[in-house]
Amino acid sequence: MNLPNKLTVLRVLLIPFFAVFVLLYIPYHWIWALIVFAAASITDMLDGKIARAQNLVTTFGKFLDPLADKLLVMTALITLCFERLIDPVAVIIILSREFMVTGLRLVVANEGVVVAAGIWGKLKTAFTMVALVAIMALQIFFPDAKGSPDLNWNSTVFLVNEALIWVSVVLTVISGMKYLKGYWKYIDSSK
């Protein structure tokens, strides 16, 4: 197994530790969660750069890298939603786009077409990871700034969280529409 693939596997292995640190109220749990998430996010950047620079792109990497990204981001979205730090509607929209693009990739793969990550998809992923890091960092400095069951709109931190996640939603929807438009001919039911 080459280095990029090892980094991708490491990212997958870090996901349960991240979830545990978010959900268990141990001392400094947000700091630990942030460190693990940031480390996992960095492996995402490194594995691709190393694989391309050293010509180490493998079928295993092509399969696991996007899956690891989705698992990491979905875990973060779900755990932060569970903690009432972000709007569940935003999470549903983001997760729906991820499933739609994954389904699209499966359909066009049958036609021998590979759906490469476009600039909007990369921008969406990068911004979402940065937004999630910021949301966790805010919890370190403002630990009581959660949304209440009725969404506490009076909390400035909660409003910042919402702004960050909804910008992610906008980028997510734009990138999803770009993928759908670009590969519509493969799923057009009139053919």
Side-chain angles (χ1 to χ4, degrees):
M1 184 178 297
N2 64 32
L3 179 59
N5 289 343
K6 287 178 182 175
L7 289 170
T8 302
V9 169
L10 175 62
R11 184 159 68 256
V12 172
L13 294 175
L14 288 173
I15 294 168
F17 291 98
F18 164 74
V20 165
F21 286 133
V22 171
L23 299 173
L24 285 184
Y25 299 112
I26 59 174
Y28 309 108
H29 74 106
W30 282 114
I31 294 172
W32 290 112
L34 179 60
I35 290 168
V36 171
F37 186 83
S41 297
I42 290 168
T43 67
D44 179 35
M45 179 187 69
L46 289 177
D47 65 4
K49 285 188 181 210
I50 294 169
R52 286 185 295 277
Q54 298 181 6
N55 199 24
L56 297 173
V57 176
T58 64
T59 303
F60 178 78
K62 287 179 188 177
F63 163 73
L64 192 59
D65 182 61
L67 181 61
D69 295 346
K70 287 179 185 1
L71 288 172
L72 176 64
V73 171
M74 286 181 178
T75 301
L77 290 169
I78 292 167
T79 55
L80 295 179
C81 182
F82 181 80
E83 290 295 311
R84 297 188 181 167
L85 297 175
I86 55 177
D87 190 338
V89 173
V91 173
I92 291 167
I93 293 169
I94 293 170
L95 295 183
S96 297
R97 179 266 185 207
E98 296 302 333
F99 286 117
M100 186 269 302
V101 170
T102 299
L104 178 65
R105 282 191 163 112
L106 291 172
V107 168
V108 302
N110 286 336
E111 303 290 329
V113 176
V114 175
V115 177
I119 187 67
W120 283 99
K122 291 178 182 180
L123 181 63
K124 178 267 311 175
T125 299
F127 185 87
T128 301
M129 287 182 170
V130 169
L132 293 170
V133 165
I135 290 166
M136 285 182 270
L138 286 170
Q139 283 306 296
I140 294 167
F141 297 106
F142 304 98
D144 297 323
K146 290 186 179 184
S148 65
D150 60 343
L151 294 181
N152 182 4
W153 293 102
N154 296 322
S155 167
T156 303
V157 172
F158 186 70
L159 290 175
V160 171
N161 290 355
E162 286 297 284
L164 288 168
I165 205 63
W166 281 99
V167 170
S168 290
V169 167
V170 169
L171 293 172
T172 296
V173 169
I174 290 170
S175 70
M177 301 285 281
K178 293 280 188 184
Y179 282 120
L180 202 55
K181 181 181 177 193
Y183 296 93
W184 183 254
K185 64 184 176 186
Y186 297 101
I187 58 173
D188 186 356
S189 64
S190 65
K191 295 182 180 181

